[in-house]
Each structure stands twice: as C-alpha cells, then as structure tokens.
Amino acid sequence: MDAIIAFSVLLLLILGGLWVHFAVGAAALGYLWLMKEFAGWNALGMVSWGASNSFTLAAIPLFILMAEILLGGSG
C-alpha cells in the first residue's frame, strides 16, 4: 500500500508539471519520511558519500573529461 501511495504522489507531481528528476527526488524523500522518519534522511549522507567515494564512479567521468580536453587541444 505504501508503494502505491508513493507512486501516486510521483505521478501527481509529474502530471502537475514538476520536472521528472525533482518529482522523483520529492517522492523518494516523502517515502523515506513515511518509512523511517529522520533516521532515513540521516542515512542519505552515508549513502551519498559511499557513492562518491568509489574509484570507478570517479574515474569514468574524469576519463571522459580528459578525452574532451585532449580532443579540444589538438585542433
């Protein structure tokens, strides 16, 4: 039942004109609040730091940036 409510909120936000990424974020924060209250929001810091502290997730965008710099500098 909780998932149906969260999906309904997501659809209402999107149909109401909110951009999709903001609608998904707002629906996710609302769902976290319903399930865990402040403890769920406190976990967001740990999850986001763990994702940004990954070597693979940092290396791939930097590799693409390096390729763009090399291509731009050769012309």
Side-chain angles (χ1 to χ4, degrees), residues 8-45:
S8 300
V9 168
L10 175 65
L11 283 178
L12 284 172
L13 290 173
I14 291 174
L15 292 175
L18 195 62
W19 290 347
V20 173
H21 50 282
F22 289 127
V24 170
L29 286 175
Y31 188 70
L32 264 175
W33 174 257
L34 286 175
M35 302 306 325
K36 303 282 185 179
E37 294 188 1
F38 281 121
W41 285 5
N42 288 337
L44 285 176

Side-chain angles (χ1 to χ4, degrees), residues 55-65:
F55 175 74
T56 305
L57 292 177
I60 292 173
L62 290 175
F63 184 77
I64 294 170
L65 175 64

